[in-house]
Amino acid sequence: EEQREPAFTKKYFLVSVLTEKSQLASGSIVPASINNVLTYQNPSLGIGLHYPSNWKVEERTNINNNTIDFNASSIKFTSPSKKDLFVVSAYTQNLSSLPIEQQQNMTLNSLTRTGIITAKANLNNFQLIDLETANVTLGLGQNNEAHKIIYSNTNTNASFPLQFVIMQTYTIKDDKIYGISYVSEASQFFRHLPAVQRMIDSFQIIG
């Protein structure tokens, strides 16, 4: 049976990595207040979830925002404050949009493996922080087997370098990838994490 690290150990490791990279003291991180929530549903994409009522919503297609997914249709959620450097994207991607050699017998394991290889090759200073492949589900009331990955990278602006932390949770259902990604400037990652986790917990595959 697979031996899993205690949750507090993984969280401590994540805090340590972010503290080292951004010189933050974990005790100084104050979670953002969570306002009332609204419900977003998009039957054409088959996605529904709750999100903070003061966040902005933008529908997008064929994006690449430094996350593992590509050629995906997504809904972007952002804070109205210009001080908040983060974005949450709920997305879908047809397996048929992947390269032909990846379409056959695609599994969560192969999707994750391919995604990590792609990220290492394309992201600046890629660092894998955490990967959970057991006891992870996505889809409220559906419990679809899912994977969760957390990694970091640095932008390529030498005059204003920033480190970003990306957390993605995704599953495969009916020849389609469903996922939700959270991209945040490193120093703000824990501040918005509670609100993002509520969005992940409310994520629904509809239709």
Tab-separated table of all heavy atoms in Angstrom, residues 173-202:
chain	number	residue	atom	x	y	z
A	173	LYS	N	-12.876	12.721	-17.930
A	173	LYS	CA	-14.216	12.130	-17.938
A	173	LYS	C	-14.786	12.234	-19.346
A	173	LYS	O	-14.810	13.325	-19.922
A	173	LYS	CB	-15.127	12.847	-16.935
A	173	LYS	CG	-16.533	12.262	-16.829
A	173	LYS	CD	-17.352	13.005	-15.779
A	173	LYS	CE	-18.796	12.532	-15.714
A	173	LYS	NZ	-18.896	11.113	-15.327
A	174	ASP	N	-15.234	11.108	-19.886
A	174	ASP	CA	-15.872	11.079	-21.215
A	174	ASP	C	-15.010	11.752	-22.280
A	174	ASP	O	-15.463	12.646	-23.016
A	174	ASP	CB	-17.248	11.748	-21.157
A	174	ASP	CG	-18.199	11.024	-20.209
A	174	ASP	OD1	-18.053	9.798	-20.053
A	174	ASP	OD2	-19.068	11.700	-19.626
A	175	ASP	N	-13.740	11.357	-22.364
A	175	ASP	CA	-12.813	11.855	-23.386
A	175	ASP	C	-12.589	13.360	-23.311
A	175	ASP	O	-12.328	14.020	-24.327
A	175	ASP	CB	-13.307	11.490	-24.802
A	175	ASP	CG	-13.326	9.987	-25.037
A	175	ASP	OD1	-12.419	9.307	-24.508
A	175	ASP	OD2	-14.242	9.504	-25.720
A	176	LYS	N	-12.696	13.905	-22.111
A	176	LYS	CA	-12.459	15.335	-21.929
A	176	LYS	C	-11.728	15.553	-20.601
A	176	LYS	O	-11.980	14.868	-19.616
A	176	LYS	CB	-13.781	16.099	-21.957
A	176	LYS	CG	-13.631	17.618	-21.875
A	176	LYS	CD	-14.983	18.323	-21.961
A	176	LYS	CE	-15.555	18.247	-23.357
A	176	LYS	NZ	-16.766	19.102	-23.491
A	177	ILE	N	-10.809	16.507	-20.604
A	177	ILE	CA	-10.106	16.901	-19.386
A	177	ILE	C	-10.879	18.047	-18.742
A	177	ILE	O	-11.234	19.023	-19.410
A	177	ILE	CB	-8.670	17.362	-19.704
A	177	ILE	CG1	-7.892	16.254	-20.397
A	177	ILE	CG2	-7.952	17.793	-18.417
A	177	ILE	CD1	-6.590	16.727	-21.026
A	178	TYR	N	-11.151	17.920	-17.450
A	178	TYR	CA	-11.766	18.995	-16.668
A	178	TYR	C	-10.783	19.383	-15.580
A	178	TYR	O	-10.206	18.512	-14.913
A	178	TYR	CB	-13.073	18.527	-16.016
A	178	TYR	CG	-14.184	18.195	-16.977
A	178	TYR	CD1	-14.284	16.922	-17.538
A	178	TYR	CD2	-15.135	19.151	-17.324
A	178	TYR	CE1	-15.312	16.605	-18.416
A	178	TYR	CE2	-16.166	18.838	-18.197
A	178	TYR	CZ	-16.249	17.571	-18.748
A	178	TYR	OH	-17.264	17.262	-19.615
A	179	GLY	N	-10.611	20.684	-15.372
A	179	GLY	CA	-9.664	21.080	-14.349
A	179	GLY	C	-9.891	22.484	-13.846
A	179	GLY	O	-10.668	23.265	-14.404
A	180	ILE	N	-9.188	22.801	-12.780
A	180	ILE	CA	-9.195	24.150	-12.221
A	180	ILE	C	-7.771	24.464	-11.786
A	180	ILE	O	-7.125	23.660	-11.106
A	180	ILE	CB	-10.214	24.282	-11.057
A	180	ILE	CG1	-10.249	25.715	-10.528
A	180	ILE	CG2	-9.946	23.271	-9.962
A	180	ILE	CD1	-11.465	25.987	-9.645
A	181	SER	N	-7.259	25.594	-12.234
A	181	SER	CA	-5.892	25.987	-11.934
A	181	SER	C	-5.873	27.302	-11.164
A	181	SER	O	-6.734	28.164	-11.356
A	181	SER	CB	-5.070	26.122	-13.225
A	181	SER	OG	-5.517	27.230	-13.984
A	182	TYR	N	-4.876	27.435	-10.320
A	182	TYR	CA	-4.688	28.632	-9.497
A	182	TYR	C	-3.250	29.086	-9.698
A	182	TYR	O	-2.316	28.367	-9.351
A	182	TYR	CB	-4.968	28.290	-8.037
A	182	TYR	CG	-4.588	29.341	-7.019
A	182	TYR	CD1	-4.810	30.697	-7.240
A	182	TYR	CD2	-4.036	28.963	-5.787
A	182	TYR	CE1	-4.475	31.642	-6.291
A	182	TYR	CE2	-3.709	29.901	-4.828
A	182	TYR	CZ	-3.920	31.238	-5.071
A	182	TYR	OH	-3.585	32.177	-4.124
A	183	VAL	N	-3.080	30.244	-10.311
A	183	VAL	CA	-1.757	30.809	-10.564
A	183	VAL	C	-1.619	32.063	-9.720
A	183	VAL	O	-2.414	32.993	-9.856
A	183	VAL	CB	-1.572	31.157	-12.062
A	183	VAL	CG1	-0.167	31.697	-12.310
A	183	VAL	CG2	-1.850	29.942	-12.935
A	184	SER	N	-0.606	32.094	-8.859
A	184	SER	CA	-0.460	33.217	-7.930
A	184	SER	C	0.996	33.626	-7.800
A	184	SER	O	1.907	32.782	-7.832
A	184	SER	CB	-1.000	32.823	-6.547
A	184	SER	OG	-0.721	33.822	-5.583
A	185	GLU	N	1.216	34.930	-7.655
A	185	GLU	CA	2.540	35.396	-7.243
A	185	GLU	C	2.840	34.752	-5.897
A	185	GLU	O	1.969	34.614	-5.053
A	185	GLU	CB	2.542	36.926	-7.161
A	185	GLU	CG	3.917	37.559	-7.047
A	185	GLU	CD	4.409	37.618	-5.626
A	185	GLU	OE1	3.571	37.860	-4.734
A	185	GLU	OE2	5.611	37.416	-5.384
A	186	ALA	N	4.075	34.296	-5.696
A	186	ALA	CA	4.402	33.417	-4.570
A	186	ALA	C	3.984	33.985	-3.220
A	186	ALA	O	3.456	33.268	-2.371
A	186	ALA	CB	5.897	33.101	-4.568
A	187	SER	N	4.186	35.279	-3.010
A	187	SER	CA	3.901	35.861	-1.700
A	187	SER	C	2.414	35.926	-1.390
A	187	SER	O	2.025	36.117	-0.237
A	187	SER	CB	4.497	37.275	-1.615
A	187	SER	OG	3.823	38.159	-2.496
A	188	GLN	N	1.546	35.752	-2.425
A	188	GLN	CA	0.100	35.825	-2.211
A	188	GLN	C	-0.575	34.457	-2.239
A	188	GLN	O	-1.787	34.369	-2.070
A	188	GLN	CB	-0.531	36.719	-3.285
A	188	GLN	CG	-0.032	38.153	-3.272
A	188	GLN	CD	-0.758	39.032	-4.271
A	188	GLN	OE1	-1.793	38.659	-4.813
A	188	GLN	NE2	-0.225	40.204	-4.518
A	189	PHE	N	0.184	33.386	-2.437
A	189	PHE	CA	-0.403	32.069	-2.643
A	189	PHE	C	-1.312	31.652	-1.497
A	189	PHE	O	-2.461	31.259	-1.696
A	189	PHE	CB	0.700	31.031	-2.846
A	189	PHE	CG	0.189	29.643	-3.097
A	189	PHE	CD1	-0.232	29.262	-4.357
A	189	PHE	CD2	0.119	28.709	-2.072
A	189	PHE	CE1	-0.715	27.985	-4.596
A	189	PHE	CE2	-0.353	27.429	-2.300
A	189	PHE	CZ	-0.779	27.062	-3.562
A	190	PHE	N	-0.828	31.726	-0.260
A	190	PHE	CA	-1.616	31.275	0.881
A	190	PHE	C	-2.740	32.250	1.217
A	190	PHE	O	-3.753	31.847	1.790
A	190	PHE	CB	-0.731	31.067	2.101
A	190	PHE	CG	0.128	29.834	2.006
A	190	PHE	CD1	1.503	29.937	1.853
A	190	PHE	CD2	-0.431	28.567	2.045
A	190	PHE	CE1	2.293	28.810	1.754
A	190	PHE	CE2	0.342	27.434	1.947
A	190	PHE	CZ	1.719	27.555	1.794
A	191	ARG	N	-2.582	33.494	0.849
A	191	ARG	CA	-3.617	34.491	1.160
A	191	ARG	C	-4.941	34.153	0.484
A	191	ARG	O	-6.012	34.301	1.086
A	191	ARG	CB	-3.128	35.884	0.727
A	191	ARG	CG	-4.171	36.985	0.852
A	191	ARG	CD	-3.574	38.351	0.575
A	191	ARG	NE	-4.592	39.369	0.420
A	191	ARG	CZ	-5.272	39.934	1.398
A	191	ARG	NH1	-5.050	39.564	2.636
A	191	ARG	NH2	-6.172	40.861	1.147
A	192	HIS	N	-4.891	33.705	-0.747
A	192	HIS	CA	-6.120	33.424	-1.502
A	192	HIS	C	-6.463	31.941	-1.557
A	192	HIS	O	-7.510	31.574	-2.111
A	192	HIS	CB	-5.991	33.982	-2.922
A	192	HIS	CG	-5.739	35.454	-2.969
A	192	HIS	ND1	-6.706	36.379	-2.669
A	192	HIS	CD2	-4.613	36.167	-3.241
A	192	HIS	CE1	-6.213	37.598	-2.773
A	192	HIS	NE2	-4.945	37.498	-3.116
A	193	LEU	N	-5.622	31.091	-0.980
A	193	LEU	CA	-5.841	29.652	-1.071
A	193	LEU	C	-7.186	29.200	-0.486
A	193	LEU	O	-7.842	28.327	-1.077
A	193	LEU	CB	-4.685	28.902	-0.404
A	193	LEU	CG	-4.705	27.379	-0.503
A	193	LEU	CD1	-4.724	26.930	-1.960
A	193	LEU	CD2	-3.496	26.787	0.219
A	194	PRO	N	-7.639	29.723	0.666
A	194	PRO	CA	-8.940	29.266	1.197
A	194	PRO	C	-10.097	29.483	0.215
A	194	PRO	O	-10.952	28.609	0.051
A	194	PRO	CB	-9.119	30.099	2.475
A	194	PRO	CG	-7.726	30.419	2.905
A	194	PRO	CD	-6.975	30.640	1.620
A	195	ALA	N	-10.123	30.653	-0.446
A	195	ALA	CA	-11.194	30.925	-1.411
A	195	ALA	C	-11.080	29.994	-2.611
A	195	ALA	O	-12.097	29.489	-3.123
A	195	ALA	CB	-11.136	32.384	-1.865
A	196	VAL	N	-9.861	29.748	-3.063
A	196	VAL	CA	-9.659	28.860	-4.211
A	196	VAL	C	-10.071	27.434	-3.864
A	196	VAL	O	-10.700	26.739	-4.666
A	196	VAL	CB	-8.185	28.905	-4.671
A	196	VAL	CG1	-7.943	27.876	-5.778
A	196	VAL	CG2	-7.816	30.296	-5.155
A	197	GLN	N	-9.749	26.997	-2.634
A	197	GLN	CA	-10.113	25.643	-2.240
A	197	GLN	C	-11.626	25.468	-2.207
A	197	GLN	O	-12.147	24.407	-2.576
A	197	GLN	CB	-9.510	25.300	-0.877
A	197	GLN	CG	-9.669	23.836	-0.477
A	197	GLN	CD	-9.036	22.895	-1.481
A	197	GLN	OE1	-7.858	23.015	-1.788
A	197	GLN	NE2	-9.814	21.944	-1.995
A	198	ARG	N	-12.346	26.503	-1.802
A	198	ARG	CA	-13.808	26.436	-1.830
A	198	ARG	C	-14.321	26.298	-3.259
A	198	ARG	O	-15.295	25.588	-3.514
A	198	ARG	CB	-14.408	27.692	-1.177
A	198	ARG	CG	-14.266	27.741	0.330
A	198	ARG	CD	-15.123	28.839	0.914
A	198	ARG	NE	-15.019	28.900	2.366
A	198	ARG	CZ	-15.767	29.673	3.135
A	198	ARG	NH1	-16.686	30.453	2.588
A	198	ARG	NH2	-15.612	29.679	4.438
A	199	MET	N	-13.654	26.973	-4.192
A	199	MET	CA	-14.044	26.846	-5.595
A	199	MET	C	-13.809	25.420	-6.090
A	199	MET	O	-14.642	24.835	-6.780
A	199	MET	CB	-13.251	27.847	-6.446
A	199	MET	CG	-13.544	29.308	-6.135
A	199	MET	SD	-12.511	30.459	-7.070
A	199	MET	CE	-13.202	30.275	-8.715
A	200	ILE	N	-12.674	24.848	-5.714
A	200	ILE	CA	-12.358	23.478	-6.118
A	200	ILE	C	-13.377	22.515	-5.534
A	200	ILE	O	-13.881	21.608	-6.219
A	200	ILE	CB	-10.929	23.098	-5.669
A	200	ILE	CG1	-9.903	23.953	-6.394
A	200	ILE	CG2	-10.670	21.612	-5.908
A	200	ILE	CD1	-8.485	23.799	-5.872
A	201	ASP	N	-13.709	22.709	-4.261
A	201	ASP	CA	-14.669	21.819	-3.605
A	201	ASP	C	-16.060	21.901	-4.221
A	201	ASP	O	-16.837	20.933	-4.149
A	201	ASP	CB	-14.748	22.141	-2.099
A	201	ASP	CG	-13.461	21.815	-1.360
A	201	ASP	OD1	-12.651	21.042	-1.896
A	201	ASP	OD2	-13.264	22.351	-0.252
A	202	SER	N	-16.396	23.066	-4.809
A	202	SER	CA	-17.735	23.254	-5.393
A	202	SER	C	-17.779	22.910	-6.877
A	202	SER	O	-18.853	22.931	-7.490
A	202	SER	CB	-18.193	24.707	-5.200
A	202	SER	OG	-17.454	25.599	-6.022
